[in-house]
Amino acid sequence: MPEELGLFALDVLLRTPLQEPGPTLADFAAHRVGFFLPPDPESRWVGSDIRYAGKDAWIAVPAPHRATGPLRWLVPPDGSGTLFAPAAVELALQQATGILAALLEPAAPHDPGKLATVIGIETRRGRLDPHGTGAPDTGGRPE
């Protein structure tokens, strides 16, 4: 899927309680992200620029420990066989699509609470406003 959509969907999946993360591959040269799901020859995913590699499909992947280059693991396989549940990925894609749509809305008066609500962040204790100051958390990094 497109990189931006995939990165937002991965963020949603990684924040989901009880969801074991499955392998996720990024191709930064092609601006694509791929989630590894159990095989299902009956299913098809419908979406703009989303492909479902099914039966007889193949993909090239780097070694799990590779950390550089345009093709790399965002969540490397750990040998356990854990894959993302298709329903969880579908829900994360819906949420990621909503986040992207909100971010791409025509410019309106600045309202940090609106973005926090859209992406499900509680502004009093969440990442957006951890100190109750109204300032976004930069993780200790300069902006």
Side-chain angles (χ1 to χ4, degrees):
M1 68 189 57
E3 181 179 329
E4 203 168 48
L5 178 61
L7 292 175
F8 276 107
L10 178 60
D11 185 59
V12 169
L13 287 163
L14 292 176
R15 293 171 185 264
T16 303
L18 306 176
Q19 169 66 47
E20 286 292 321
T24 308
L25 188 65
D27 182 343
F28 292 111
H31 304 288
R32 312 269 310 157
V33 171
F35 296 93
F36 285 69
L37 309 171
D40 183 1
E42 303 294 318
S43 291
R44 293 191 156 234
W45 287 60
V46 178
S48 179
D49 206 19
I50 295 177
R51 296 179 295 210
Y52 183 80
K55 185 178 178 184
D56 297 327
W58 60 272
I59 59 169
V61 298
H65 60 277
R66 183 176 174 194
T68 61
L71 187 62
R72 60 186 120 144
W73 294 102
L74 299 174
V75 178
D78 62 7
S80 70
T82 300
L83 301 172
F84 279 111
V89 172
E90 183 177 4
L91 182 60
L93 286 172
Q94 291 172 4
Q95 291 178 9
T97 300
I99 293 167
L100 285 170
L103 292 173
L104 297 175
E105 282 182 2
H110 180 66
D111 181 1
K114 179 179 179 184
L115 178 59
T117 301
V118 169
I119 61 176
I121 296 173
E122 184 176 352
T123 58
R124 290 205 172 123
R125 290 177 310 191
R127 281 187 9 181
L128 185 63
D129 188 11
H131 308 292
T133 63
D137 181 9
T138 60
R141 299 179 315 269
E143 291 187 50

